[in-house]
């Protein structure tokens, strides 16, 4: 990626936030920081559920609740939820697992009013691969003759036709007198 493209990606969220603030002020609405300043400071965040296990391309509800120092729920508190971009995404109180399996942490952070400290929590998320629907064996071009070696690779596909990114395959021959398999 070029430096210009990187700069555009980095600048875009800032431009969008400035546009949102300008639009909110022009429409008579308060900018998000002003609205956050009117709410009590967030003392604690709680995630429901506290941990998630999902398969790739699956989504589940993930709600983050903000509480004030007295233990009361703060309705309308601004909370930002982030996670590894290739692993998960969060929108409309739902967490979606992407195409990467593994153990990840999602971070929820309160948007603090000026002069107050943001509060954060981490939510452990385990993403597993969905079952494979189909496996395709792909051979390199050429014909097999006695003494000839051809490399093969396997591609696995899920029910939604997405391809398994990192697939571990064990190769073996049902008749080593006809064809043998080595580590290459």
């Amino acid at each position: 990626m070029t430096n210009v493209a990187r700069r555009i990606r980095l600048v875009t969220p800032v431009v969008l936030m400035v546009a949102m603030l300008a639009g909110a002020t022009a429409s008579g609405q308060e900018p998000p920081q002003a609205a956050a300043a009117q709410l009590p400071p967030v003392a604690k965040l709680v995630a429901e559920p506290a941990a998630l296990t999902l398969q790739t391309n699956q989504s589940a509800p993930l709600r983050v609740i903000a509480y004030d120092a007295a233990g009361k729920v703060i309705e309308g508190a601004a909370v930002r939820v982030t996670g590894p971009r290739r692993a998960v995404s969060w929108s409309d109180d739902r967490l979606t697992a992407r195409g990467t399996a593994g153990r990840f942490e999602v971070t929820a952070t309160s948007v603090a009013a000026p002069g107050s400290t943001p509060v954060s929590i981490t939510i452990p998320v385990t993403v597993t691969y969905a079952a494979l629907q189909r496996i395709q064996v792909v051979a390199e071009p050429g014909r097999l003759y006695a003494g000839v070696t051809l490399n093969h690779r396997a591609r696995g596909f899920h029910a939604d036709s997405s391809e398994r990114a990192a697939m571990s395959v064990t190769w073996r021959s049902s008749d080593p007198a006809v064809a043998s398999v080595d580590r290459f």
Side-chain angles (χ1 to χ4, degrees), residues 17-171:
M17 181 57 93
V18 169
M20 286 171 35
L21 291 174
T25 305
S27 66
Q29 297 174 349
E30 295 182 45
Q33 287 87 352
Q38 295 174 358
L39 295 173
V42 174
K44 178 171 94 170
L45 294 174
V46 174
E48 290 180 356
L52 281 166
T53 299
L54 301 168
Q55 287 185 346
T56 53
N57 301 319
Q58 181 184 30
S59 67
L62 174 63
R63 194 167 158 233
V64 180
I65 305 161
Y67 293 90
D68 65 13
K72 293 182 183 178
V73 173
I74 304 171
E75 296 296 334
V79 176
R80 181 174 185 219
V81 176
T82 60
R85 150 169 69 169
R86 292 182 185 225
V88 296
S89 64
W90 185 75
S91 178
D92 298 324
D93 289 342
R94 292 193 70 79
L95 188 75
T96 302
R98 298 288 171 212
T100 304
R103 294 178 192 269
F104 306 101
E105 285 189 345
V106 171
T107 303
T109 306
S110 65
V111 176
S116 64
T117 305
V119 175
S120 294
I121 59 167
T122 57
I123 302 118
V125 178
T126 301
V127 178
T128 61
Y129 284 117
L132 291 176
Q133 176 82 17
R134 170 174 66 94
I135 296 178
Q136 176 184 27
V137 176
V138 181
E140 69 181 8
R143 293 187 56 117
L144 271 178
Y145 298 99
V148 173
T149 300
L150 286 179
N151 291 323
H152 290 70
R153 65 184 179 96
R155 297 174 65 195
F157 297 90
H158 304 110
D160 66 357
S161 298
S162 63
E163 186 172 354
R164 172 82 51 95
M167 194 169 75
S168 177
V169 178
T170 301
W171 297 90

